[in-house]
Amino acid sequence: MITVADVVADTTLNLQVVTGGDHLDREVTSAHVSELTSPGDWLRGGELLMTVGLLLPMNPVDCQRYLAECAQAGVSAVALGLGHDLPYQDCPEPLRIAAEQFEVPLLTVPDETPFIAITKWVFDVIARQEHHELQAAIEINKKLTGVATRSAPLPALLAAWSTTSDTPCVVCDGAGQLIAATPGTPASVVEQAVEAAGMARAAGTEWSMRGEFEVHTVGARVPSAYIVLGAAMDTRTRASSTVLVALAALDIERRHLAGRAERQRRSQVFAQLLRPGIKAERARHLAADVGLAAGQCHVAVVDAGDADRAESLMLQLEASLPDALVLMRGDVVEIAHPELAVLTERLKTYAPGLRTGVGSSVGFDAFALSAMQARSLLPVSARLGRIVTANEGETVSLLLSMGSADAVRGFSDAVLAPLDQLDPNERLELLRTLDQWLTVNGAWDQAAARLSLHRNTVRNRIERIARLTGRRMDDGDDRMGLWLALKARTALGLTS
């Protein structure tokens, strides 16, 4: 970078500072000659603007208008040419005052210094600096290429980058989770970079600017990683950053390809575990072979709708759930994972809107049972428009079999209408008591303990509910009707 001070300091040019000495640190990006009295449309910022003032009226109003436009356009300085055959031999006072008012450095160019000499000097210095920066970038590239052959190239690449540039580099996996960052990067910067990667993942872009970062996506069909770089880079860093991104992406893709055989082996083991009637000992052996430490897993089934989408979903789940078992069969993807919350969170992220069922937590020898439960919940998931798990599936399936949401609402309202007419406080007390009493299958003491009430209070409330609704609490069908009516108000988002 060169500044106005650098140009003034060169004794071969003999430039003099008229005003603006406090602003000589401004960067000079080019040198430009113009005699226009309104040059703003032809400027891009950073110019050393040279003029002899041929057309500029040297009165306060016109000088102020001229300097205001120059300041708004971002010129680094204005240089006025002086000479015996030129309009001015000395700097006009209105021009000096206007330059001082708008804080634009004002220089004078002596008769013996042609404008072309200043232009040539500026561009020669910029060219030399760029050549120097590119040479430095080549050295950085050699260093990066050298460490790329190590056993752990990604950490080595980031470490080498941190010794040559202040630009932070953060790498996230396909799910937007942090993998690594350049040593010494502040935690707040890492957090912002991870957030930028998440925004790029949501947008599905190959390259994008996110705030103060540029995000490069690794992976042609399914993103396997995101490389996030600080966007403020000089020429040297910019030239080297492309090599850094390429080498980091190469290492990520290489590791992804190296793991393909292992992922295929895990899928084959999963297919065996899904066979009905597998022996417990055989199942434990297979699970141990793929590193399943937990004794229980949930099996989820997702109907992707077509093979391409199923393959994309499988790759995303493999990348974001490395401890899961994933299998694709036609349009359907099956997943086994020990943690229900983690599993459903990933499915919400990568399979939004797809029919998805999740079976019960089972041992390794009962994966077939959990998968069967999950498959049976796919029609329910389609009706509800969300993931459905086995612990809610039976009730929800039965409720949905009664018809549309309006029909379910009508059934619930018909059964509970006598309670809905009560004072709101009494209504809530009775409904809560009924729910807890039915949950423990009519056990008075257990219901009382759950409600923190005396068992006689519970009995009195249940008897009142029976009288109001006309239901007999010793009749299984009547009790089931009340139970379904209560569940109907939550199954499809109905209020109680």
Side-chain angles (χ1 to χ4, degrees):
M1 182 183 83
I2 61 174
T3 64
V4 178
D6 295 327
V7 183
V8 172
D10 190 277
T11 56
T12 64
L13 300 177
N14 295 318
L15 303 183
Q16 300 297 318
V17 179
V18 177
T19 186
D22 294 337
H23 305 291
L24 299 184
D25 57 347
R26 292 179 178 175
E27 181 181 5
V28 176
T29 60
S30 64
H32 180 59
V33 179
S34 175
E35 295 302 330
L36 296 175
T37 58
S38 182
D41 290 341
W42 304 95
L43 301 173
R44 293 296 178 267
E47 294 91 353
L48 174 58
L49 182 62
M50 297 175 285
T51 180
V52 296
L54 181 65
L55 303 177
L56 179 63
M58 290 300 173
N59 60 67
V61 174
D62 288 304
C63 287
Q64 287 175 359
R65 183 184 300 113
Y66 178 78
L67 267 301
E69 188 168 333
C70 289
Q72 185 176 8
V75 300
S76 58
V78 172
L80 177 67
L82 304 177
H84 296 294
D85 295 328
L86 297 179
Y88 302 100
Q89 288 73 50
D90 296 299
C91 180
E93 188 66 7
L95 188 65
R96 183 195 68 77
I97 294 173
E100 189 174 72
Q101 177 183 351
F102 292 100
E103 299 182 340
V104 176
L106 178 60
L107 316 178
T108 56
V109 184
D111 197 11
E112 65 271 17
T113 302
F115 284 170
I116 188 61
I118 300 174
T119 301
K120 186 176 183 301
W121 187 95
V122 169
F123 284 101
D124 281 349
V125 172
I126 291 175
R128 287 197 301 272
Q129 288 185 350
E130 288 182 348
H131 177 74
H132 175 75
E133 292 293 325
L134 290 175
Q135 287 295 116
I138 291 173
E139 294 303 315
I140 295 173
N141 294 345
K142 289 180 180 178
K143 186 175 183 179
L144 293 175
T145 305
V147 302
T149 59
R150 297 182 183 177
S151 58
L154 184 58
L157 281 170
L158 295 179
W161 179 256
S162 68
T163 64
T164 59
S165 174
D166 294 330
T167 300
C169 180
V170 176
V171 182
C172 300
D173 62 18
Q177 303 298 311
L178 177 66
I179 295 178
T182 44
T185 303
S188 59
V189 175
V190 172
E191 184 178 347
Q192 292 170 15
V194 171
E195 183 179 349
M199 294 168 63
R201 182 177 66 81
T205 54
E206 294 183 5
W207 183 93
S208 61
M209 285 293 302
R210 302 290 169 180
E212 299 178 358
F213 300 95
E214 57 181 48
V215 184
H216 302 259
T217 303
V218 180
R221 291 184 57 194
V222 178
S224 55
Y226 297 91
I227 301 173
V228 187
L229 284 166
M233 290 184 259
D234 55 25
T235 304
R236 178 188 61 183
T237 304
R238 173 64 62 189
S240 300
S241 69
T242 56
V243 175
L244 172 68
V245 170
L247 292 174
L250 179 63
D251 175 51
I252 292 166
E253 292 284 22
R254 183 170 53 217
R255 286 189 285 114
H256 183 72
L257 289 173
R260 178 176 294 176
E262 174 60 18
R263 292 192 296 273
Q264 290 176 342
R265 187 181 74 86
R266 290 173 65 86
S267 293
Q268 292 169 356
V269 169
F270 188 21
Q272 294 183 57
L273 288 171
L274 285 169
R275 291 176 181 173
I278 187 172
K279 301 295 184 183
E281 184 177 352
R282 172 64 175 163
R284 285 194 297 270
H285 175 75
L286 289 171
D289 190 44
V290 292
L292 277 183
Q296 302 276 116
C297 281
H298 295 268
V299 178
V301 176
V302 183
D303 183 359
D306 61 73
D308 287 341
R309 190 166 187 177
E311 183 181 4
S312 175
L313 175 61
M314 177 186 70
L315 294 174
Q316 289 173 320
L317 291 171
E318 286 177 341
S320 62
L321 290 173
D323 53 342
L325 296 179
V326 185
L327 177 65
M328 175 183 144
R329 293 196 261 206
D331 299 348
V332 173
V333 177
E334 296 169 298
I335 315 101
H337 194 273
E339 298 181 41
L340 179 61
V342 174
L343 177 59
T344 54
E345 187 272 331
R346 289 292 188 273
L347 291 173
K348 288 176 182 177
T349 299
Y350 295 114
L354 298 183
R355 299 196 306 160
T356 305
V358 183
S360 301
S361 179
V362 295
F364 302 135
D365 59 335
F367 274 14
L369 172 61
S370 186
M372 182 177 66
Q373 290 177 321
R375 281 191 291 271
S376 71
L377 295 173
L378 293 180
V380 183
S381 173
R383 289 288 300 275
L384 294 179
R386 62 173 175 83
I387 297 170
V388 179
T389 59
N391 61 358
E392 62 173 325
E394 292 183 5
T395 299
V396 173
S397 297
L398 184 56
L399 287 171
L400 290 177
S401 70
M402 299 167 61
S404 66
D406 288 340
V408 174
R409 184 191 301 271
F411 163 77
S412 175
D413 289 347
V415 173
L416 300 176
L419 302 182
D420 292 337
Q421 304 304 313
L422 299 175
D423 173 80
N425 291 333
E426 184 181 10
R427 170 179 170 273
L428 287 175
E429 285 180 352
L430 293 182
L431 288 174
R432 182 166 174 263
T433 301
L434 177 62
D435 179 69
Q436 293 300 313
W437 184 73
L438 291 172
T439 297
V440 297
N441 199 27
W444 300 108
D445 289 334
Q446 291 183 43
R450 282 170 168 261
L451 295 163
S452 299
L453 297 172
H454 192 277
R455 69 192 308 271
N456 289 341
T457 302
V458 175
R459 185 182 294 275
N460 291 336
R461 288 183 180 179
I462 295 300
E463 289 176 353
R464 177 162 168 71
I465 292 170
R467 290 195 301 271
L468 289 170
T469 61
R471 304 271 173 165
R472 295 181 301 163
M473 296 307 185
D474 58 351
D475 183 276
D477 288 340
D478 281 359
R479 285 165 66 167
M480 178 59 73
L482 288 167
W483 175 250
L484 291 177
L486 287 173
K487 292 304 177 184
R489 292 193 169 182
T490 57
L492 298 178
L494 306 176
T495 57
S496 59

